[in-house]
């Protein structure tokens, strides 16, 4: 990140409340070229940081004199921003290293949710489901949350597969884990699976714990992405870092699109391919099923989203609404929106 040179440069930044020049420079420190190396500092890195802090401090003082400004931000400052600013004002490389070791470099220092499409994109305001949004899957949510809490506490936890019918809330359940204290999540697009290695190397250096979220997963066993995912799930010598837990949702129990089963007596290679395909789902230690809604559960979900008991007429209208759409939590939410 280049240092801002004019007040207009500050308008593009996500600044907190307080003196804008200082926090703009603090964010620049979190993005500094030496930020990742500072996680494991050597004497040479500390000397480089010291010189950089001295130069940036002089530039900050100049801009404050020439263009004094009131607060531009609306949110409170993040502890990483406060710590980086304090380290800058005291020209203290050790303090800057401690900030980075506690919070990580940008963007991990400031954000909890990310999307990875080969490049990492922070999501400053992720759309999270309400804690009470799902109806009818209490046992699945309890198992999912207990496993997630163990992971966040540094205890052994299991990579998790949520599978079942469309619209049953699998993705909602996975995203709801961001409500847990200390949780961070990276949503990985399928096409980015071959490029995960570099991201995982970065995540392994950080103090945070990450859910790696793959939504609506369905892979062909001949797809290159299939083999990257298989290796990630403990199929390689490395496996995922200790601070990364995989969450996947799928409408398919076995994740892969299978052709016809080999016939008895067919070549061993055909059976080997089938077994390789089936083995992928088995690499998830925790498998949670989200079965389809029936009529009773659908009406219960509609009443839940409306926040009241349904009248007989509302129940009939809700059933008519689902006639061409099917019974699911998603359809129940859609109908409730039409009555809000």
């Amino acid at each position: 990140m280049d240092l801002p040179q004019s007040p207009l440069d500050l308008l593009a930044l996500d600044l907190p409340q307080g003196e804008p020049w200082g926090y703009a420079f603090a964010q620049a420190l979190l993005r500094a070229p030496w930020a990742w190396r500072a996680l494991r500092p050597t004497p040479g890195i500390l000397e480089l940081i010291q010189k950089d802090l001295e130069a940036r401090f002089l530039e900050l003082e100049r801009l404050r004199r020439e263009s004094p400004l009131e607060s531009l931000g609306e949110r409170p400052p993040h502890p990483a921003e406060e710590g980086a600013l304090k380290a800058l004002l005291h020209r203290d490389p050790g303090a800057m290293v401690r900030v980075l070791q506690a919070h990580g470099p940008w963007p991990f220092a400031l954000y909890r949710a990310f999307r990875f499409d080969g490049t990492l994109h922070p999501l400053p305001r992720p759309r999270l489901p309400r804690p009470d949004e799902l109806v009818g899957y209490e046992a699945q949510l309890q198992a999912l949350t207990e496993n997630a809490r163990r992971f966040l506490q540094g205890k052994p936890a299991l990579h998790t597969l949520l599978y079942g019918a469309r619209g049953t809330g699998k993705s909602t359940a996975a995203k709801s884990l961001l409500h847990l204290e200390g949780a961070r999540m990276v949503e990985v697009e399928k096409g980015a699976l071959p490029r995960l290695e570099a991201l995982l190397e970065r995540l392994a250096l950080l103090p945070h714990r990450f859910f790696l979220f793959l939504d609506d997963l369905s892979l062909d066993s001949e797809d290159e992405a299939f083999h990257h995912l298989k290796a990630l799930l403990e199929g390689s010598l490395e496996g995922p870092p200790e601070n990364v837990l995989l969450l996947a949702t799928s409408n398919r129990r076995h994740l892969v699109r299978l052709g016809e089963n080999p016939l008895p007596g067919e070549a061993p290679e055909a059976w080997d391919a089938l077994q390789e395909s089936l083995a992928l789902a088995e690499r998830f230690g925790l498998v949670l099923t989200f079965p389809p809604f029936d009529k009773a559960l659908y009406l219960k979900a509609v009443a839940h989203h409306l926040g009241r008991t349904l009248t007989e007429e509302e129940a009939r209208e809700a059933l008519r609404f689902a006639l061409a759409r099917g019974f699911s939590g998603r359809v129940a939410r859609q109908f409730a929106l039409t009555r809000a």
Side-chain angles (χ1 to χ4, degrees), residues 55-248:
R56 293 180 190 236
F57 175 76
L58 294 176
E59 181 68 7
L60 173 61
E61 290 294 283
R62 181 185 70 81
L63 290 169
R64 280 175 162 176
R65 288 193 306 270
E66 294 178 1
S67 302
L69 293 171
E70 297 293 331
S71 177
L72 296 176
E74 298 179 353
R75 63 175 176 86
H78 189 281
E81 293 169 314
E82 293 181 320
L85 179 55
K86 184 176 180 180
L88 175 60
L89 296 179
H90 290 87
R91 281 89 79 201
D92 185 344
M96 190 65 228
V97 165
R98 290 191 291 274
V99 169
L100 290 166
Q101 290 176 334
H103 302 285
W106 190 94
F108 302 103
L110 302 184
Y111 304 105
R112 301 175 58 228
F114 309 87
R115 179 174 55 84
F116 181 69
D117 58 7
T119 301
L120 191 73
H121 306 276
L123 306 176
R125 288 169 289 278
R127 290 179 292 177
L128 299 184
R130 301 190 314 273
D132 63 344
E133 188 162 329
L134 287 181
V135 179
Y137 300 109
E138 288 76 15
Q140 291 91 330
L141 288 173
Q142 181 177 353
L144 177 67
T145 303
E146 287 178 358
N147 185 63
R149 290 188 191 277
R150 288 182 60 83
F151 170 67
L152 294 173
Q153 292 166 4
K155 299 178 181 178
L158 302 171
H159 300 301
T160 304
L161 170 64
L162 297 82
Y163 84 95
R166 297 182 185 278
T168 50
K170 304 180 297 296
S171 300
T172 298
K175 292 175 182 178
S176 71
L177 296 181
L178 266 175
H179 287 295
L180 299 178
E181 184 177 356
R184 284 170 168 77
M185 183 173 290
V186 180
E187 183 170 4
V188 180
E189 296 186 2
K190 176 191 167 185
L193 280 172
R195 288 169 282 177
L196 262 183
E197 185 177 355
L199 173 65
L200 293 176
E201 289 176 357
R202 285 289 173 95
L203 297 184
L205 298 173
L206 295 170
H208 318 298
R209 304 186 76 78
F210 293 88
F211 296 111
L212 207 64
F213 178 42
L214 294 91
D215 196 21
D216 197 19
L217 196 59
S218 179
L219 299 175
D220 191 308
S221 59
E222 297 183 358
D223 191 329
E224 182 183 3
F226 169 86
H227 299 284
H228 283 280
L229 179 58
K230 186 180 175 186
L232 177 63
L233 285 167
E234 303 175 1
S236 66
L237 287 175
E238 281 190 321
E242 181 273 337
N243 64 331
V244 172
L245 191 75
L246 188 63
L247 298 174

Side-chain angles (χ1 to χ4, degrees), residues 253-298:
R253 171 64 176 87
H254 294 298
L255 297 183
V256 293
R257 294 182 290 273
L258 301 176
E260 295 181 359
N261 287 345
L263 297 173
E266 197 160 340
E269 292 81 4
W271 287 100
D272 289 344
L274 176 62
Q275 292 306 313
E276 182 182 33
S277 298
L278 296 177
L280 182 58
E282 296 173 359
R283 294 181 184 273
F284 290 89
L286 178 62
V287 179
L288 300 174
T289 306
F290 286 66
F293 273 42
D294 57 18
K295 181 175 74 172
L297 184 54
Y298 167 72

